[in-house]
Amino acid sequence: MSAPALPRVVLRLHRPALLVWAAFVAGLIGWLVWLNEITAESASRAEAACRHVQDCAHGFFAGLDYSEPTGWIGTAVCYSFLAVAVFAGGALIGRELESGTALLAWTQGVSPTRWLTAKLALPALAVTAGAAALVLAFRRGWAAHRDLMSDHWSAADVFVARGPLTVAYGLCALAVGTLAALLLRRTLAALGAAFGAMWLLHVLLERLREDLWPTVTRTSPRRFGLPDSAWQLRQGRNADGFYAVYHPESHFWPLHLVETGIVLAVTAAATTAAYTVLRRRTA
């Protein structure tokens, strides 16, 4: 099999998954456009009409028609990497190892290393392009009508969906799914292991997130309040008076980029391990 033929084979084999991914990306972006161009306008009018009416519930529920779906989209963008992990561990690598298709390709002039590179290149490009498009659309949609939203930049799904961390998690899921498939060589076991590993990584980093950048501590002899944009971690009173430990909104990018770097480091390690396992098992 010639080198130019490999990408075509990968595209043919995994065209349905790529089409589903493209439909997912296009669907979420289209939904965001609808919410911001149609739903947000009607919700703003309803809230304005209720502004001077006591106990007006219509404006509140109209706002939910915008804020809740936008929150669901953020959650879908954030956790899309789990679907990538399942795909990589199952359909992309695990199924071909279990069925013997990969071994057949290796006996037809395709080296295992070149086979794996071709298998990963096209999905990595699709994940990067799709996730980047989702991030750009969600950032614009999330910021467009903040008066209708009740979430916060520090929320787990919003934090991931507003920057390149979404792309990093997607690429990491691809690498971890591939490594799981090469180690286990069973489709169901590999996709389950990849899903679990990525979920645990996400939960671990979410719990460590507040410590990825130095916090700000404010003290005062009198009680004080923090801006709504601050991510408050702790507050109380000691011998010096009242205090609060928090991250201001300006810490979003340092926190986000540090976590992105950690996830990319895991991606590089998993990719290196996958090639090492492949070479040892085919030597």
Side-chain angles (χ1 to χ4, degrees):
M1 186 182 298
S2 63
L6 274 173
R8 290 197 298 270
V9 171
V10 174
L11 179 61
R12 185 173 65 251
L13 286 175
H14 302 293
R15 184 180 301 167
L18 293 174
L19 290 176
V20 169
W21 173 247
F24 172 78
V25 172
L28 289 187
I29 292 176
W31 195 6
L32 273 171
V33 171
W34 176 269
L35 288 170
N36 280 278
E37 297 299 326
I38 306 298
T39 308
E41 184 178 350
S42 61
S44 296
R45 285 200 304 267
E47 285 204 344
C50 283
R51 199 161 293 158
H52 304 294
V53 179
Q54 188 175 6
D55 298 328
C56 179
H58 177 63
F60 171 76
F61 287 110
L64 290 181
D65 289 340
Y66 173 81
S67 62
E68 284 195 352
T70 303
W72 297 336
I73 292 172
T75 300
V77 173
C78 171
Y79 292 102
S80 60
F81 67 87
L82 294 175
V84 176
V86 168
F87 166 71
L92 184 65
I93 304 296
R95 186 172 61 189
E96 295 206 16
L97 292 173
E98 188 174 21
S99 65
T101 306
L103 182 60
L104 178 63
W106 300 339
T107 61
Q108 294 182 347
V110 179
S111 67
T113 299
R114 190 153 59 91
W115 169 84
L116 183 58
T117 301
K119 295 288 287 182
L120 292 179
L122 185 60
L125 180 62
V127 167
T128 300
L134 286 173
V135 167
L136 292 175
F138 182 76
R139 281 186 61 82
R140 182 181 182 281
W142 186 82
H145 301 281
R146 292 305 302 153
D147 56 315
L148 298 176
M149 298 291 293
S150 59
D151 57 3
H152 196 265
W153 64 266
S154 62
D157 49 356
V158 174
F159 184 89
V160 174
R162 289 182 62 220
L165 188 55
T166 298
V167 179
Y169 268 116
L171 293 176
C172 187
L174 186 64
V176 170
T178 299
L179 177 59
L182 290 168
L183 289 172
L184 301 175
R185 294 182 171 236
R186 292 291 182 272
T187 302
L188 292 178
L191 67 86
F195 182 97
M198 287 306 303
W199 178 266
L200 287 174
L201 176 64
H202 176 77
V203 170
L204 176 62
L205 289 178
E206 182 183 342
R207 292 186 175 182
L208 296 176
R209 185 169 294 156
E210 65 184 61
D211 298 319
L212 297 179
W213 196 257
T215 58
V216 174
T217 301
R218 178 180 172 185
T219 60
S220 174
R222 298 181 179 181
R223 289 187 180 274
F224 59 88
L226 295 175
D228 292 338
S229 61
W231 177 14
Q232 182 172 294
L233 304 175
R234 292 176 297 280
Q235 66 174 348
R237 186 176 184 180
N238 55 26
D240 298 322
F242 296 93
Y243 72 92
V245 180
Y246 66 101
H247 284 293
E249 190 175 10
S250 60
H251 283 193
F252 168 76
W253 279 114
L255 288 164
H256 190 95
L257 293 177
V258 169
E259 186 169 341
T260 299
I262 294 173
V263 175
L264 289 177
V266 175
T267 304
T271 302
T272 302
Y275 277 98
T276 300
V277 170
L278 181 65
R279 283 194 294 268
R280 289 181 177 178
R281 292 198 168 180
T282 58

PDB file of all heavy atoms in Angstrom, residues 1-3 6 102-115:
ATOM      1  N   MET A   1       0.852  -1.197   0.000  1.00  0.00           N
ATOM      2  CA  MET A   1       0.000   0.000   0.000  1.00  0.00           C
ATOM      3  C   MET A   1       0.884   1.242   0.000  1.00  0.00           C
ATOM      4  O   MET A   1       1.795   1.369   0.808  1.00  0.00           O
ATOM      5  CB  MET A   1      -0.894   0.009   1.232  1.00  0.00           C
ATOM      6  CG  MET A   1      -1.916   1.138   1.243  1.00  0.00           C
ATOM      7  SD  MET A   1      -2.899   1.129   2.760  1.00  0.00           S
ATOM      8  CE  MET A   1      -3.710  -0.477   2.606  1.00  0.00           C
ATOM      9  N   SER A   2       0.652   2.162  -0.917  1.00  0.00           N
ATOM     10  CA  SER A   2       1.469   3.363  -1.027  1.00  0.00           C
ATOM     11  C   SER A   2       1.140   4.331   0.089  1.00  0.00           C
ATOM     12  O   SER A   2       0.055   4.299   0.665  1.00  0.00           O
ATOM     13  CB  SER A   2       1.247   4.033  -2.390  1.00  0.00           C
ATOM     14  OG  SER A   2      -0.090   4.455  -2.515  1.00  0.00           O
ATOM     15  N   ALA A   3       2.087   5.240   0.338  1.00  0.00           N
ATOM     16  CA  ALA A   3       1.878   6.226   1.395  1.00  0.00           C
ATOM     17  C   ALA A   3       0.676   7.128   1.132  1.00  0.00           C
ATOM     18  O   ALA A   3      -0.106   7.400   2.032  1.00  0.00           O
ATOM     19  CB  ALA A   3       3.153   7.061   1.583  1.00  0.00           C
ATOM     20  N   LEU A   6      -2.795   5.615   2.210  1.00  0.00           N
ATOM     21  CA  LEU A   6      -3.158   5.442   3.612  1.00  0.00           C
ATOM     22  C   LEU A   6      -4.187   6.459   4.095  1.00  0.00           C
ATOM     23  O   LEU A   6      -5.191   6.086   4.705  1.00  0.00           O
ATOM     24  CB  LEU A   6      -1.900   5.499   4.490  1.00  0.00           C
ATOM     25  CG  LEU A   6      -1.149   4.181   4.675  1.00  0.00           C
ATOM     26  CD1 LEU A   6       0.152   4.426   5.414  1.00  0.00           C
ATOM     27  CD2 LEU A   6      -2.003   3.168   5.413  1.00  0.00           C
ATOM     28  N   ALA A 102      -5.267  -4.565  11.181  1.00  0.00           N
ATOM     29  CA  ALA A 102      -3.978  -3.888  11.289  1.00  0.00           C
ATOM     30  C   ALA A 102      -2.837  -4.806  10.881  1.00  0.00           C
ATOM     31  O   ALA A 102      -1.927  -4.404  10.142  1.00  0.00           O
ATOM     32  CB  ALA A 102      -3.768  -3.402  12.722  1.00  0.00           C
ATOM     33  N   LEU A 103      -2.886  -6.060  11.326  1.00  0.00           N
ATOM     34  CA  LEU A 103      -1.829  -7.022  10.969  1.00  0.00           C
ATOM     35  C   LEU A 103      -1.783  -7.239   9.465  1.00  0.00           C
ATOM     36  O   LEU A 103      -0.703  -7.368   8.865  1.00  0.00           O
ATOM     37  CB  LEU A 103      -2.079  -8.348  11.689  1.00  0.00           C
ATOM     38  CG  LEU A 103      -1.039  -9.450  11.461  1.00  0.00           C
ATOM     39  CD1 LEU A 103       0.333  -8.984  11.937  1.00  0.00           C
ATOM     40  CD2 LEU A 103      -1.451 -10.728  12.179  1.00  0.00           C
ATOM     41  N   LEU A 104      -2.955  -7.278   8.829  1.00  0.00           N
ATOM     42  CA  LEU A 104      -3.013  -7.432   7.376  1.00  0.00           C
ATOM     43  C   LEU A 104      -2.344  -6.254   6.683  1.00  0.00           C
ATOM     44  O   LEU A 104      -1.597  -6.427   5.704  1.00  0.00           O
ATOM     45  CB  LEU A 104      -4.469  -7.561   6.921  1.00  0.00           C
ATOM     46  CG  LEU A 104      -4.706  -7.682   5.415  1.00  0.00           C
ATOM     47  CD1 LEU A 104      -4.057  -8.955   4.880  1.00  0.00           C
ATOM     48  CD2 LEU A 104      -6.198  -7.672   5.103  1.00  0.00           C
ATOM     49  N   ALA A 105      -2.573  -5.042   7.180  1.00  0.00           N
ATOM     50  CA  ALA A 105      -1.959  -3.852   6.585  1.00  0.00           C
ATOM     51  C   ALA A 105      -0.445  -3.894   6.741  1.00  0.00           C
ATOM     52  O   ALA A 105       0.295  -3.500   5.829  1.00  0.00           O
ATOM     53  CB  ALA A 105      -2.526  -2.595   7.231  1.00  0.00           C
ATOM     54  N   TRP A 106       0.038  -4.411   7.882  1.00  0.00           N
ATOM     55  CA  TRP A 106       1.476  -4.461   8.118  1.00  0.00           C
ATOM     56  C   TRP A 106       2.175  -5.454   7.200  1.00  0.00           C
ATOM     57  O   TRP A 106       3.375  -5.334   6.958  1.00  0.00           O
ATOM     58  CB  TRP A 106       1.757  -4.827   9.572  1.00  0.00           C
ATOM     59  CG  TRP A 106       1.171  -3.853  10.555  1.00  0.00           C
ATOM     60  CD1 TRP A 106       0.802  -2.557  10.310  1.00  0.00           C
ATOM     61  CD2 TRP A 106       0.873  -4.097  11.926  1.00  0.00           C
ATOM     62  NE1 TRP A 106       0.289  -1.978  11.430  1.00  0.00           N
ATOM     63  CE2 TRP A 106       0.308  -2.891  12.460  1.00  0.00           C
ATOM     64  CE3 TRP A 106       1.007  -5.186  12.772  1.00  0.00           C
ATOM     65  CZ2 TRP A 106      -0.099  -2.774  13.782  1.00  0.00           C
ATOM     66  CZ3 TRP A 106       0.607  -5.080  14.093  1.00  0.00           C
ATOM     67  CH2 TRP A 106       0.055  -3.885  14.589  1.00  0.00           C
ATOM     68  N   THR A 107       1.463  -6.430   6.712  1.00  0.00           N
ATOM     69  CA  THR A 107       2.052  -7.430   5.796  1.00  0.00           C
ATOM     70  C   THR A 107       1.992  -6.984   4.339  1.00  0.00           C
ATOM     71  O   THR A 107       2.460  -7.710   3.460  1.00  0.00           O
ATOM     72  CB  THR A 107       1.328  -8.780   5.933  1.00  0.00           C
ATOM     73  OG1 THR A 107      -0.057  -8.613   5.597  1.00  0.00           O
ATOM     74  CG2 THR A 107       1.445  -9.322   7.346  1.00  0.00           C
ATOM     75  N   GLN A 108       1.427  -5.816   4.083  1.00  0.00           N
ATOM     76  CA  GLN A 108       1.293  -5.325   2.715  1.00  0.00           C
ATOM     77  C   GLN A 108       2.161  -4.096   2.459  1.00  0.00           C
ATOM     78  O   GLN A 108       1.817  -3.230   1.662  1.00  0.00           O
ATOM     79  CB  GLN A 108      -0.169  -4.992   2.415  1.00  0.00           C
ATOM     80  CG  GLN A 108      -1.065  -6.226   2.409  1.00  0.00           C
ATOM     81  CD  GLN A 108      -2.500  -5.892   2.052  1.00  0.00           C
ATOM     82  OE1 GLN A 108      -2.889  -4.724   2.038  1.00  0.00           O
ATOM     83  NE2 GLN A 108      -3.287  -6.924   1.755  1.00  0.00           N
ATOM     84  N   GLY A 109       3.278  -4.047   3.139  1.00  0.00           N
ATOM     85  CA  GLY A 109       4.241  -2.991   2.876  1.00  0.00           C
ATOM     86  C   GLY A 109       4.058  -1.728   3.689  1.00  0.00           C
ATOM     87  O   GLY A 109       4.747  -0.731   3.446  1.00  0.00           O
ATOM     88  N   VAL A 110       3.150  -1.739   4.652  1.00  0.00           N
ATOM     89  CA  VAL A 110       2.947  -0.579   5.513  1.00  0.00           C
ATOM     90  C   VAL A 110       3.563  -0.867   6.874  1.00  0.00           C
ATOM     91  O   VAL A 110       3.140  -1.804   7.557  1.00  0.00           O
ATOM     92  CB  VAL A 110       1.449  -0.254   5.667  1.00  0.00           C
ATOM     93  CG1 VAL A 110       1.263   0.938   6.593  1.00  0.00           C
ATOM     94  CG2 VAL A 110       0.819   0.021   4.315  1.00  0.00           C
ATOM     95  N   SER A 111       4.539  -0.079   7.276  1.00  0.00           N
ATOM     96  CA  SER A 111       5.160  -0.311   8.574  1.00  0.00           C
ATOM     97  C   SER A 111       4.179   0.063   9.679  1.00  0.00           C
ATOM     98  O   SER A 111       3.313   0.925   9.493  1.00  0.00           O
ATOM     99  CB  SER A 111       6.428   0.529   8.706  1.00  0.00           C
ATOM    100  OG  SER A 111       6.108   1.902   8.759  1.00  0.00           O
ATOM    101  N   PRO A 112       4.278  -0.588  10.847  1.00  0.00           N
ATOM    102  CA  PRO A 112       3.378  -0.250  11.960  1.00  0.00           C
ATOM    103  C   PRO A 112       3.424   1.237  12.339  1.00  0.00           C
ATOM    104  O   PRO A 112       2.387   1.837  12.634  1.00  0.00           O
ATOM    105  CB  PRO A 112       3.888  -1.136  13.099  1.00  0.00           C
ATOM    106  CG  PRO A 112       4.500  -2.314  12.403  1.00  0.00           C
ATOM    107  CD  PRO A 112       5.119  -1.755  11.166  1.00  0.00           C
ATOM    108  N   THR A 113       4.630   1.820  12.314  1.00  0.00           N
ATOM    109  CA  THR A 113       4.742   3.237  12.676  1.00  0.00           C
ATOM    110  C   THR A 113       4.012   4.123  11.683  1.00  0.00           C
ATOM    111  O   THR A 113       3.281   5.048  12.067  1.00  0.00           O
ATOM    112  CB  THR A 113       6.222   3.649  12.744  1.00  0.00           C
ATOM    113  OG1 THR A 113       6.882   2.876  13.754  1.00  0.00           O
ATOM    114  CG2 THR A 113       6.363   5.124  13.081  1.00  0.00           C
ATOM    115  N   ARG A 114       4.180   3.843  10.390  1.00  0.00           N
ATOM    116  CA  ARG A 114       3.495   4.642   9.369  1.00  0.00           C
ATOM    117  C   ARG A 114       1.984   4.418   9.427  1.00  0.00           C
ATOM    118  O   ARG A 114       1.194   5.333   9.205  1.00  0.00           O
ATOM    119  CB  ARG A 114       4.041   4.273   7.983  1.00  0.00           C
ATOM    120  CG  ARG A 114       3.581   5.215   6.882  1.00  0.00           C
ATOM    121  CD  ARG A 114       4.587   5.246   5.737  1.00  0.00           C
ATOM    122  NE  ARG A 114       4.796   3.931   5.158  1.00  0.00           N
ATOM    123  CZ  ARG A 114       4.098   3.449   4.126  1.00  0.00           C
ATOM    124  NH1 ARG A 114       3.129   4.185   3.585  1.00  0.00           N
ATOM    125  NH2 ARG A 114       4.356   2.270   3.630  1.00  0.00           N
ATOM    126  N   TRP A 115       1.581   3.194   9.742  1.00  0.00           N
ATOM    127  CA  TRP A 115       0.149   2.890   9.872  1.00  0.00           C
ATOM    128  C   TRP A 115      -0.464   3.707  11.004  1.00  0.00           C
ATOM    129  O   TRP A 115      -1.521   4.323  10.832  1.00  0.00           O
ATOM    130  CB  TRP A 115      -0.011   1.397  10.151  1.00  0.00           C
ATOM    131  CG  TRP A 115      -1.390   0.977  10.552  1.00  0.00           C
ATOM    132  CD1 TRP A 115      -2.442   0.693   9.738  1.00  0.00           C
ATOM    133  CD2 TRP A 115      -1.872   0.788  11.895  1.00  0.00           C
ATOM    134  NE1 TRP A 115      -3.550   0.354  10.468  1.00  0.00           N
ATOM    135  CE2 TRP A 115      -3.228   0.391  11.795  1.00  0.00           C
ATOM    136  CE3 TRP A 115      -1.302   0.903  13.154  1.00  0.00           C
ATOM    137  CZ2 TRP A 115      -4.011   0.128  12.925  1.00  0.00           C
ATOM    138  CZ3 TRP A 115      -2.064   0.638  14.270  1.00  0.00           C
ATOM    139  CH2 TRP A 115      -3.408   0.252  14.148  1.00  0.00           C
TER     140      TRP A 115
END
